Amino acid sequence: MASFVAVVGAIWFILPAYLANASPVVLGGGLPMDFGHHFIDKRRLFGDGKTWRGFYGGILVGILVGALQGYLYPHIALDSPVNDLTMTAYILRAVLLSFGAGVGDLTGSFIKRRINLKRGAPFPIVDQIGFLVLAFLFAVLRFEVPTVYVLILLPLTLFAHLGANIFAYLAGMKDVWY
Ligand code: CTP
Ligand code: MG
């Protein structure tokens, strides 16, 4: 079992990616990233669910979260060597995490369109953790990403999504529980 300290450290580590992934729902809209273009299979490259505003908005939010974390870290009792970074490093790591999250989300939509899933159709696992995998891959280019963080965050993110969806379903905000 991972320690409570490791779980808190892991969540603190991934916060920029989480917020970057969640904000396009609110900030998105306008010009689609594929400009309406189709792939060689005659289906949309990404579809109307991926817009430039959502992409850049997510990255911007992620970077702001990283900057806020860099400011807060010296003032809180979070004893986490992996998260003991300078402000500049916090911002750089947030850039990588947020950009990775955005590219991961985009990759997921690209795959969904190739297997003929319409915009918004559920694609289990990829929908929930696609952004996370790419966020890890970008972050590890320059920063330490402990294996234990990856092992904590993959299932945690999967279940957090599921929990949020069930809650939204019970609250009448969604038609399906998944
Ligand atoms: N969104 C956006 N730009 C992005 C990512 C998301 O504008 N780069 C907005 C869109 O309004 C999208 C919503 O956030 O509908 C939810 O995102 P997501 O679930 O990733 O997209 P889906 O609509 O489900 O499309 P897809 O099937 O391609 O995943
Ligand atoms: Mg979706």
Side-chain angles (χ1 to χ4, degrees):
M1 249 336 256
S3 73
F4 179 70
V5 177
V7 174
V8 174
I11 294 173
W12 181 265
F13 166 87
I14 206 65
L15 268 187
Y18 273 6
L19 274 295
N21 186 246
S23 44
V25 184
V26 185
L27 302 175
L31 192 62
M33 294 186 78
D34 63 9
F35 304 102
H37 285 305
H38 295 75
F39 196 57
I40 46 171
D41 55 12
K42 307 247 166 53
R43 298 186 196 117
R44 287 287 293 275
L45 202 52
F46 305 121
D48 286 329
K50 302 293 115 119
T51 67
W52 286 103
R53 241 171 52 202
F55 185 73
Y56 285 129
I59 292 171
L60 203 66
V61 168
I63 294 170
L64 289 176
V65 170
L68 186 67
Q69 286 183 300
Y71 170 77
L72 289 176
Y73 188 80
H75 304 287
I76 57 174
L78 182 66
D79 183 22
S80 170
V82 177
N83 290 311
D84 191 9
L85 306 173
T86 62
M87 175 59 110
T88 313
Y90 254 109
I91 292 173
L92 180 59
R93 196 170 71 176
V95 170
L96 293 170
L97 285 170
S98 314
F99 190 75
V103 172
D105 185 42
L106 213 49
T107 308
S109 291
F110 178 79
I111 298 169
K112 286 171 80 170
R113 297 304 88 82
R114 302 292 68 78
I115 58 174
N116 209 12
L117 286 176
K118 298 278 166 263
R119 172 201 176 171
F123 190 24
I125 316 286
V126 171
D127 272 345
Q128 288 80 30
I129 57 173
F131 82 98
L132 192 60
V133 173
L134 268 286
F136 287 144
L137 289 180
F138 274 75
V140 85
L141 295 174
R142 283 294 153 102
F143 294 90
E144 187 194 348
V145 181
T147 308
V148 64
Y149 281 14
V150 176
L151 294 178
I152 290 168
L153 291 169
L154 287 175
L156 185 88
T157 308
L158 213 49
F159 288 116
H161 263 104
L162 208 55
N165 288 344
I166 291 171
F167 177 83
Y169 169 73
L170 293 176
M173 298 185 290
K174 272 188 69 158
D175 295 332
V176 289
W177 64 269
Y178 49 84

